[in-house]
């Protein structure tokens, strides 16, 4: 596993290879990330993982400051997998010091879910993904469906611009149904227990949707109930079609999308 700390070594190391699978991360490596790496390793000659906390996608400065980061530990976990050929750990300059800037706008119809609550977040995500794609020139990019809206927007954006495939990978959960996330490192034990209760409640709720006529109303009432019961703040709880992310009134091709706060930690998931 070669660690690439600047663009010069990136270009030099990747030059001989055409068949590259890319797993972008912000570090805080966990088994969710490792599942993407496994998939890439299986389907590509070489796998590159990036570790870069992109300041441009943080709409909240405190969130950026407290974002979990432990490069030494991350590198040690990645090395142990024996499935990563390169780890790219660029500086801000490596990624953003490029004169050509294209203004990225999210369409009005796409300003839903996290795009509605985190102003500028996805513009920052698309910007960094565009730049990383240009720098790395991978054939395939592996992303988690836990961050479904991110996967959906990045896939549409990059596949329109480059000869590339963005592949969505299933959400990895712990035994208590909590989706793995770097942000879970910020939760105390009892908060992690609340996250597990939330997941179990939403999974149960989804089963009940099968027989409901007015889904929107049912979700609104249950959002209030769950908020009160578990003392959390739910930002959204919506059933949406996975192909266009429009509000859905039936379970077919649809998922329940959830964002909520436990204390100051914001978590997202979909079921
Ligand atoms: P992050 O480091 O949080 O930016 O995540 C890097 C990639 O890992 C993104 O494509 C995420 O969607 C994906 N990912 C994060 N958590 C999980 C999970 N629990 N299961 C599968 N993929 C995940």
């Amino acid at each position: 596993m070669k660690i690439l700390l600047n663009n010069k070594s990136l270009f030099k190391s990747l030059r001989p290879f055409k068949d590259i699978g890319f797993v972008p991360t912000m570090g805080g490596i966990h088994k969710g990330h490792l599942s993407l790496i496994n998939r890439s390793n299986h389907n590509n000659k070489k796998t590159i993982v990036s570790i870069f906390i992109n300041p441009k996608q943080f709409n909240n400065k405190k969130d950026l400051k407290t974002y979990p980061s432990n490069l030494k530990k991350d590198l040690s976990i990645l090395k142990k997998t024996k499935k990563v050929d390169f780890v790219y750990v660029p500086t801000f300059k490596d990624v953003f010091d490029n004169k050509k800037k294209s203004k990225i706008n999210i369409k009005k119809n796409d300003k839903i879910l996290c795009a509605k609550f985190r102003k500028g977040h996805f513009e920052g995500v698309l910007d960094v993904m565009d730049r990383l794609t240009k720098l790395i020139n991978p054939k395939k990019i592996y992303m988690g469906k836990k961050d479904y809206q991110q996967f959906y927007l990045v896939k549409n954006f990059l596949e329109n611009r480059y000869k590339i495939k963005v592949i969505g990978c299933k959400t990895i959960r712990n035994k208590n149904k909590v989706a793995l996330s770097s942000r879970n490192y910020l939760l105390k034990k009892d908060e992690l227990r609340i996250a597990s209760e939330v997941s179990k409640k939403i999974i149960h709720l989804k089963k009940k949707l099968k027989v409901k006529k007015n889904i929107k109303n049912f979700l609104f009432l249950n959002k209030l109930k769950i908020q009160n019961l578990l003392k959390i703040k739910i930002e959204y709880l919506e059933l949406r079609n996975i192909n266009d992310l429009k509000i859905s009134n039936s379970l077919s091709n649809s998922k329940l999308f959830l964002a909520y706060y436990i204390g100051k930690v914001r978590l997202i998931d979909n079921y």
Side-chain angles (χ1 to χ4, degrees):
M1 185 178 92
K2 202 164 176 187
I3 299 161
L4 312 169
L5 296 174
N6 54 55
N7 288 347
K8 206 173 150 197
S9 58
L10 174 80
F11 298 148
K12 196 170 160 225
S13 302
L14 296 193
R15 199 175 300 134
F17 307 109
K18 283 205 176 76
D19 187 6
I20 296 173
F22 172 35
V23 179
T25 84
M26 297 208 297
I29 299 295
H30 52 68
K31 284 184 181 153
H33 297 126
L34 299 188
S35 74
L36 310 185
I37 290 166
N38 276 339
R39 187 98 179 256
S40 173
N41 174 263
H42 199 253
N43 293 312
N44 301 277
K45 287 226 172 75
K46 295 286 169 192
T47 289
I48 181 166
V49 175
S50 66
I51 299 180
F52 178 62
I53 300 181
N54 171 29
K56 299 215 174 191
Q57 72 186 68
F58 283 81
N59 52 316
N60 176 332
K61 277 200 186 114
K62 233 182 172 175
D63 187 24
L64 172 61
K65 246 186 151 173
T66 55
Y67 196 84
S69 148
N70 188 340
L71 185 60
K72 202 173 158 205
K73 188 172 162 207
D74 286 347
L75 292 174
S76 144
I77 298 172
L78 292 177
K79 193 166 179 195
K80 273 193 202 128
T81 66
K82 297 205 168 86
K83 292 186 174 172
V84 179
D85 300 285
F86 305 104
V87 187
Y88 177 46
V89 192
T91 61
F92 181 84
K93 256 188 151 183
D94 283 317
V95 179
F96 286 102
D97 215 16
N98 177 339
K99 282 185 194 91
K100 270 184 250 150
K101 272 183 222 145
S102 57
K103 181 90 185 95
I104 288 161
N105 290 312
I106 304 280
K107 280 185 268 155
K108 216 175 159 199
N109 283 349
D110 285 333
K111 293 205 168 157
I112 52 169
L113 303 170
C114 288
K116 184 170 149 193
F117 290 93
R118 299 186 70 188
K119 295 249 151 54
H121 166 64
F122 287 120
E123 286 83 348
V125 170
L126 294 181
D127 189 9
V128 80
M129 286 307 299
D130 189 43
R131 288 168 188 274
L132 290 173
T133 301
K134 272 193 199 125
L135 287 163
I136 293 170
N137 193 22
K139 245 198 180 146
K140 296 189 183 108
I141 299 183
Y142 295 84
M143 302 188 77
K145 288 187 181 169
K146 181 190 88 73
D147 305 285
Y148 193 89
Q149 190 179 17
Q150 167 175 276
F151 159 66
Y152 171 89
L153 289 172
V154 169
K155 183 175 173 70
N156 287 338
F157 185 82
L158 292 183
E159 289 186 355
N160 266 327
R161 289 194 166 200
Y162 304 98
K163 218 174 145 247
I164 202 172
K165 267 275 171 230
V166 179
I167 293 150
C169 305
K170 75 166 194 195
T171 301
I172 305 298
R173 299 175 182 280
N174 71 13
K175 64 177 191 313
N176 298 318
K177 306 281 180 219
V178 181
L180 300 186
S181 163
S182 310
R183 284 197 164 86
N184 294 354
Y185 294 126
L186 301 172
L187 297 175
K188 298 188 193 90
K189 247 190 183 167
D190 55 327
E191 292 175 325
L192 205 53
R193 219 170 293 135
I194 296 173
S196 164
E197 286 302 309
V198 174
S199 267
K200 286 173 185 164
K201 282 253 176 308
I202 306 291
I203 290 166
H204 184 63
L205 204 66
K206 190 167 179 202
K207 284 186 187 140
K208 280 194 179 167
L209 286 184
K210 275 185 198 141
V211 291
K212 294 290 165 193
K213 286 219 169 75
N214 188 339
I215 287 184
K216 215 174 161 184
N217 204 36
F218 177 74
L219 288 177
F220 177 73
L221 288 174
N222 277 281
K223 176 179 150 177
L224 296 180
K225 267 192 203 166
I226 295 171
Q227 278 195 143
N228 281 338
L229 188 72
L230 299 176
K231 309 268 179 298
I232 56 169
K233 169 91 189 87
I234 297 182
E235 222 166 47
Y236 59 74
L237 174 63
E238 295 174 350
L239 188 71
R240 288 187 177 263
N241 186 291
I242 52 168
N243 298 317
D244 56 14
L245 287 186
K246 289 205 171 98
I247 287 281
S248 172
N249 205 27
S250 82
L251 278 177
S252 80
N253 288 326
S254 298
K255 280 186 161 203
L256 265 177
F257 290 85
L258 169 73
Y260 67 103
Y261 282 89
I262 301 182
K264 290 201 166 68
V265 182
R266 184 178 185 275
L267 299 171
I268 60 170
D269 203 344
N270 57 80
Y271 304 83

